[in-house]
Amino acid sequence: MQKEQKYMPIDEISENTCNSPVQTYKTPAGPVFLRSCCSPAFVAGLKVDEGLRAFARLPEREHQLLLSLAGKPENRLTLAYTATGTIVGQVTLAPLEQGWQDIGNAYEIAVEVSAGWRKLGIAHHLLSLALAFESVEEYLIIAFGLSWHWDYEGLGISRFHYRELIARLFAAHGFSEYLTSEPNIRMDPANILLARLGSRLTEESISRFFHHLFQSETLPGL
């Protein structure tokens, strides 16, 4: 039987942002609109840019993934889209899974910007909006940086350079890198685990977080 979930519903997480107006961010490629707490109906009315394919590989499948994420009340979906209704970036907050469920108020965050819209500051603005809820300091938020999702070849850089870019991006929003024996992270030395421990996160949640980081007795290669 699944353990009782220990996360706040989305209406509490986003209490100050769900009804906030859409933000406009001007870029050299044209204006981009940022909206948080996107509903399935809103996502259904948009299309996905061809370059947004890191997680589902095809724009059509990416659209279905975003629809599925938006349909779960415990998730929070923040989108960047153009005046033509094309999604060019997204940030998802979803409850931690895969063995991390016993940590109270723990979420996973994922960010993606379409290939043709990178280096314009969109990821920073998306993260700022996604994390702009009053109770954010009561949460543990983890980002799993896995190299097989990265388009480092498209950028003409190594996966280790891409890793540095991710670390700097998240550091600007209060995240730190943590060493871990987590199997997916250990599969590639370029992979990275980043976490933001809220200043009001409970001691129990912090303790459980570090327990999960070091579930093996040793960290190979260190």
Side-chain angles (χ1 to χ4, degrees):
M1 179 179 296
Q2 186 176 6
K3 292 183 179 180
E4 181 182 357
Q5 294 170 317
K6 297 182 179 181
Y7 50 79
M8 293 183 183
I10 196 65
D11 57 345
E12 293 183 38
I13 289 181
S14 50
E15 55 193 345
N16 291 326
T17 57
C18 279
N19 297 320
S20 61
V22 174
Q23 296 182 10
T24 302
Y25 173 53
K26 294 182 180 180
T27 79
V32 170
F33 304 97
L34 307 175
R35 177 169 174 170
S36 194
C37 305
C38 296
S39 68
F42 181 75
V43 177
L46 302 174
K47 58 184 178 181
V48 173
D49 190 69
E50 287 291 328
L52 203 70
R53 57 177 67 210
F55 297 110
R57 302 305 179 190
L58 294 173
E60 297 79 10
R61 291 170 58 187
E62 193 88 15
H63 196 206
Q64 290 301 313
L65 175 61
L66 294 176
L67 280 170
S68 175
L69 291 167
K72 298 178 181 179
E74 65 269 25
N75 295 344
R76 174 186 178 137
L77 178 62
T78 303
L79 296 178
Y81 56 96
T82 68
T84 61
T86 301
I87 300 171
V88 296
Q90 64 95 0
V91 169
T92 304
L93 273 169
L96 272 171
E97 298 179 352
Q98 299 179 346
W100 298 75
Q101 298 97 327
D102 62 337
I103 305 177
N105 284 0
Y107 272 70
E108 178 180 355
I109 192 167
V111 58
E112 179 185 6
V113 174
S114 181
W117 290 82
R118 294 173 186 160
K119 300 182 180 180
L120 299 175
I122 293 175
H124 276 293
H125 282 77
L126 276 170
L127 283 171
S128 293
L129 182 57
L131 296 170
F133 53 94
E134 186 175 342
S135 58
V136 67
E137 296 302 335
E138 299 171 13
Y139 283 81
L140 166 68
I141 303 175
I142 297 180
F144 298 96
L146 305 175
S147 62
W148 45 87
H149 288 307
W150 303 342
D151 183 27
Y152 54 87
E153 292 180 348
L155 293 174
I157 61 177
S158 71
R159 67 187 193 280
F160 292 101
H161 186 185
Y162 199 100
R163 183 188 199 275
E164 293 176 9
L165 295 178
I166 289 176
R168 290 202 298 267
L169 169 66
F170 278 91
H173 298 274
F175 287 76
S176 299
E177 178 183 353
Y178 290 88
L179 298 177
T180 180
S181 60
E182 201 280 331
N184 286 321
I185 300 297
R186 301 297 297 175
M187 287 180 68
D188 188 329
N191 291 346
I192 186 171
L193 185 147
L194 298 147
R196 187 185 191 282
L197 281 65
S199 61
R200 299 195 300 274
L201 187 66
T202 66
E203 291 295 331
E204 179 182 1
S205 292
I206 294 173
S207 177
R208 289 182 182 273
F209 167 63
F210 282 103
H211 171 75
H212 280 287
L213 287 180
F214 303 105
Q215 291 189 40
S216 64
E217 294 182 0
T218 61
L219 291 175
L222 295 182

